[in-house]
């Protein structure tokens, strides 16, 4: 059995990580090698055409576009994708307040071919943040709940540091240590981490909950440049029809 | 056996792809999970500290820093790494004209623990371009010889379009179709491709050699912003002592 990094073919899964540089957002493509059914996690409006070209070249059928949460820093590609791909459905947490075809909650499955992602609710950055975990628990798409050596901010939308801390510790740090952590963003050119690494080296989440709350209270970050257009747009699938 | 994307642990290899956004350069870290010996491909001066921090956190011992060629768009991190890591050796093609501890040529092996990369000479973008191929031929680090749906330019240094075409067709397109292609750069947020994909979809290298030469002749690209400082610096491991 040959093993691949970007295509876990012996597991029957095609996998690609893609990057949108303006918002530093990662989009993830997962597909079943046999049925060719594909799911796209956190697509970005500006890179919809790039993503669709790749999906077409790989011979995949995009069935579902899912978001990890209602983003404040970029406009989701979900709405535009729905206009361009017949039958495509959008999905997001039912706690997000956003509209989508499929409203997800804890334990729900996002299916592509004979594979699926399981939804783990990981609120704290927003109320509707979820982490998508592959069926073999080898990969977790953590959105802004857990970033590489960091985490999403908790000072806007429904942010709550205590809640984020509990989500990460109960829902992500309980995954296998070698489970790969794929975040929604990275600002330092890092692409992946593992649960073990973050449990050891995350400068915020290795602290006590009190220290964490204190750290998050004192970040003094500027307001996200796009929040006033991105959030209202993302509540309706990126301004486009749901 | 569990399979990982970023850590091919069942093969005994730790793997990480890292990005430097100013020059859009990918740096690759490969290490033996048992002996912890590591090699870094195409390190960038500006991200040396990030890379060393990760190497330290993963408990690795960096033995070798190698370049795919003498870069014109960024300064290599090799020299600075040698100053910071005792015993570290640098390596580059003997046809590059650049100084290094180890001068590589066709068929040479770059060893890390019980694993190795094999050197395939792939000149054309420069005289000293090489592609590093993992021992199981599952990954090829192609430098600027083959980019995702593109290739390096051939209008400066010792560029020769005909030679590049032959290199890619004879040395890269002859690898297994599912061999992952990891380039030195990407400008569209793409991280990996495969030999099969590039044989099918590369808009330049799927053409005849005559058409390819013609395409490369008419790109009309501006001179790389950093070439006058980067090339002289990279001839001596990034301005730092070899
Ligand atoms: Fe967010
Ligand atoms: Fe180059």
């Amino acid at each position: 059995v040959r093993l691949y990094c970007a295509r876990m073919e012996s597991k029957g899964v095609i996998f690609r990580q893609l990057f949108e540089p303006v918002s530093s957002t990662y989009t993830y493509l997962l597909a079943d090698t046999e049925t060719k059914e594909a799911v796209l996690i956190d697509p970005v409006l500006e890179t919809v055409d790039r993503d669709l070209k790749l999906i077409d070249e790989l011979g995949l059928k995009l069935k579902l576009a899912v978001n990890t949460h209602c983003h404040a820093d970029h406009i989701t590609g979900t709405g535009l994708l729905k206009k361009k791909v017949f039958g495509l459905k959008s999905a997001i947490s039912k706690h997000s307040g956003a509209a989508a075809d499929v409203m997800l909650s804890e334990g729900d499955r996002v299916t592509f071919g004979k594979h699926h992602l399981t939804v783990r609710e990981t609120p704290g950055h927003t109320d509707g943040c979820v982490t998508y975990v592959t069926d073999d628990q080898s990969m977790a798409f953590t959105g802004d709940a857990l970033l590489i050596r960091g985490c999403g901010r908790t000072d806007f939308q429904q942010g709550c540091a205590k809640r984020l801390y509990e989500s990460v510790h109960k829902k992500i740090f309980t995954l296998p240590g070698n489970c790969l952590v794929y975040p929604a963003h990275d600002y330092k050119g890092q692409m992946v981490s593992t649960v073990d690494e973050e449990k050891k080296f995350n400068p915020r989440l290795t602290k006590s909950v009190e220290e964490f709350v204190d750290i998050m209270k004192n970040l003094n970050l500027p307001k996200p440049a796009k929040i006033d257009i991105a959030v209202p747009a993302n509540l309706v699938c990126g301004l486009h029809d749901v």
Side-chain angles (χ1 to χ4, degrees), chain A residues 5 21 52 73 113 118 124 139 159 185 201 228 231:
Chain A
C5 256
L52 286 179
D73 60 340
T118 303
M139 304 165 99
H185 302 285
F201 303 117
D228 293 332
V231 171

Side-chain angles (χ1 to χ4, degrees), chain A residues 223-234:
Chain A
K223 183 176 152 176
K226 278 198 178 177
I227 189 167
D228 293 332
I229 46 163
V231 171
N234 290 335

Side-chain angles (χ1 to χ4, degrees), chain A residues 68-74 125-126 129 143-144 152-153 156-157 184-185:
Chain A
T68 52
H69 63 293
C70 181
H71 301 278
D73 60 340
H74 69 272
H125 169 64
T126 73
C129 285
D144 288 359
R153 47 200 290 191
F156 57 77
Q157 289 176 295
H185 302 285

Side-chain angles (χ1 to χ4, degrees), chain A residues 98-120:
Chain A
D101 297 313
V102 182
M103 303 310 280
L104 300 167
S105 55
E106 181 73 22
D108 281 354
R109 288 180 170 195
V110 171
T111 300
F112 54 104
K114 48 184 185 317
H115 300 277
H116 67 266
L117 300 165
T118 303
V119 173
R120 291 191 174 205

Side-chain angles (χ1 to χ4, degrees), chain A residues 16-72:
Chain A
R16 288 295 163 91
Q17 183 175 21
L18 298 150
F19 187 64
E20 194 289 307
V22 176
S23 60
S24 297
T25 301
Y26 286 120
T27 297
Y28 300 97
L29 174 67
L30 289 148
D32 183 307
T33 45
E34 276 175 44
T35 70
K36 308 294 182 192
E37 285 181 291
V39 56
L40 205 52
I41 301 175
D42 286 338
V44 177
L45 183 63
E46 286 79 4
T47 42
V48 156
D49 286 337
R50 175 200 63 188
D51 299 350
L52 286 179
K53 189 166 185 235
L54 178 62
I55 286 164
D56 181 52
E57 288 175 345
L58 296 177
L60 306 176
K61 291 171 283 190
L62 187 61
K63 293 287 171 181
L64 210 58
V66 305
N67 275 293
T68 52
H69 63 293
C70 181
H71 301 278

